[in-house]
């Protein structure tokens, strides 16, 4: 409770959120301006959704990876107690950051297919990323403590229920002819966005998004 009522920690958390929002917005604008517009059909909603999902995961992975690589700097913009916590958790956090980067590259490769890169190249990149994601997840799970393991299970459960309700419900309506089914690329974008959202829900329910 003290963490939620500490004005100093609250101000720090607000500045972190604002700083992250600014960095994310600027990076996204630059990406869509210099990479997206020349190489993607951003008028296609499915491409735009997938590109947004890929950029989001890529930025999260890079920011967390930077924090792990430079703990003193990372302690200023990541929600941790101090640099020492980043050093102690570097293997676990680092593995997760690499997985986020690979997910971002995976979705972006699909969004770029037919534009900047050919379909065969996109397929190769996608397969390599998926193999890397599975390998990192398995390797990272071996280092999980009880809390992290429980969070992973809760996040997976929330992800399943959200996917079943939203995407499953949409698929049912499409099957019955009430709505149109989404494009495969939009499906991938929705899926990874839902997983990210439900991961935040699982962590937030444990109070781990509060200022530290």
């Amino acid at each position: 409770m003290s963490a939620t009522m500490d004005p100093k920690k609250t101000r720090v958390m607000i500045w972190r959120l604002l700083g992250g929002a600014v960095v994310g917005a600027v990076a996204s604008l630059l990406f869509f301006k210099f990479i997206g517009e020349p190489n993607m059909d951003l008028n296609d909603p499915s491409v735009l959704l997938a590109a947004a999902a890929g950029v989001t995961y890529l930025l999260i992975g890079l920011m967390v990876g930077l924090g792990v690589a430079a703990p003193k700097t990372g302690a200023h913009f990541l929600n941790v107690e101090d640099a020492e916590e980043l050093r102690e958790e570097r293997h676990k956090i680092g593995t997760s950051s690499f997985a986020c980067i690979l997910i971002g590259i995976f979705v972006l490769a699909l969004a770029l297919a037919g534009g900047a890169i050919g379909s065969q190249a996109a397929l190769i990149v996608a397969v390599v990323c998926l193999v890397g994601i599975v390998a990192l997840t398995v390797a990272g799970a071996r280092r999980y403590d009880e809390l992290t393991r429980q969070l992973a299970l809760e996040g997976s459960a929330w992800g399943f229920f959200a996917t079943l309700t939203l995407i499953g419900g949409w698929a049912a309506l499409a099957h019955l002819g009430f709505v149109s089914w989404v494009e495969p690329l939009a499906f991938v974008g929705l899926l990874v966005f839902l997983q990210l959202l439900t991961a935040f829900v699982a962590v937030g329910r444990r109070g781990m998004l509060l200022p530290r």
Side-chain angles (χ1 to χ4, degrees):
M1 180 65 68
S2 59
T4 62
M5 301 300 293
D6 188 332
K8 182 179 179 181
K9 289 185 177 181
T10 301
R11 285 195 298 271
V12 170
M13 187 64 178
I14 291 174
W15 281 111
R16 283 173 175 169
L17 290 173
L18 290 175
V22 170
V23 171
V26 171
S28 297
L29 287 173
L30 291 174
F31 174 86
F32 284 113
K33 178 64 177 177
F34 295 104
I35 299 178
E37 288 183 2
N39 302 297
M40 299 178 184
D41 181 11
L42 296 179
N43 292 319
D44 185 338
S46 63
V47 174
L48 183 60
L49 176 63
V55 170
T56 300
Y57 269 87
L58 195 59
L59 286 175
I60 291 175
L62 290 174
M63 293 297 291
V64 175
L66 175 62
V68 173
K72 289 184 179 180
T73 302
H76 292 293
F77 61 84
L78 296 178
N79 190 28
V80 294
E81 291 286 351
D82 49 31
E84 188 58 34
E85 181 179 351
L86 282 173
R87 294 189 184 97
E88 293 175 355
E89 302 289 339
R90 66 184 182 277
H91 293 295
K92 181 172 65 180
I93 299 175
T95 299
S96 297
S97 70
F98 279 124
C100 279
I101 291 171
L102 288 178
I103 293 173
I105 295 174
F106 163 70
V107 183
L108 286 175
L110 298 180
L112 287 165
I117 59 178
S119 297
Q120 290 185 344
L123 176 61
I124 293 172
V125 173
V127 170
V128 170
C129 287
L130 287 175
V131 171
I133 292 165
V134 172
L136 285 171
T137 302
V138 172
R142 296 173 181 173
R143 299 178 180 272
Y144 285 177
D145 53 26
E146 188 59 34
L147 176 59
T148 305
R149 187 173 292 107
Q150 187 62 35
L151 285 172
L153 291 174
E154 290 179 8
S156 298
W158 281 101
F160 169 76
F161 291 129
T163 302
L164 180 63
T165 302
L166 298 179
I167 298 181
W170 195 338
L173 291 173
H175 173 68
L176 296 173
F178 290 103
V179 297
S180 299
W181 182 233
V182 298
E183 294 291 329
L185 185 58
F187 176 82
V188 174
L190 284 170
L191 198 62
V192 296
F193 260 138
L194 275 178
Q195 189 57 51
L196 182 63
L197 176 62
T198 52
F200 274 103
V201 169
V203 173
R205 290 180 72 252
R206 292 277 182 165
M208 298 178 68
L209 296 180
L210 297 175
R212 302 180 63 186

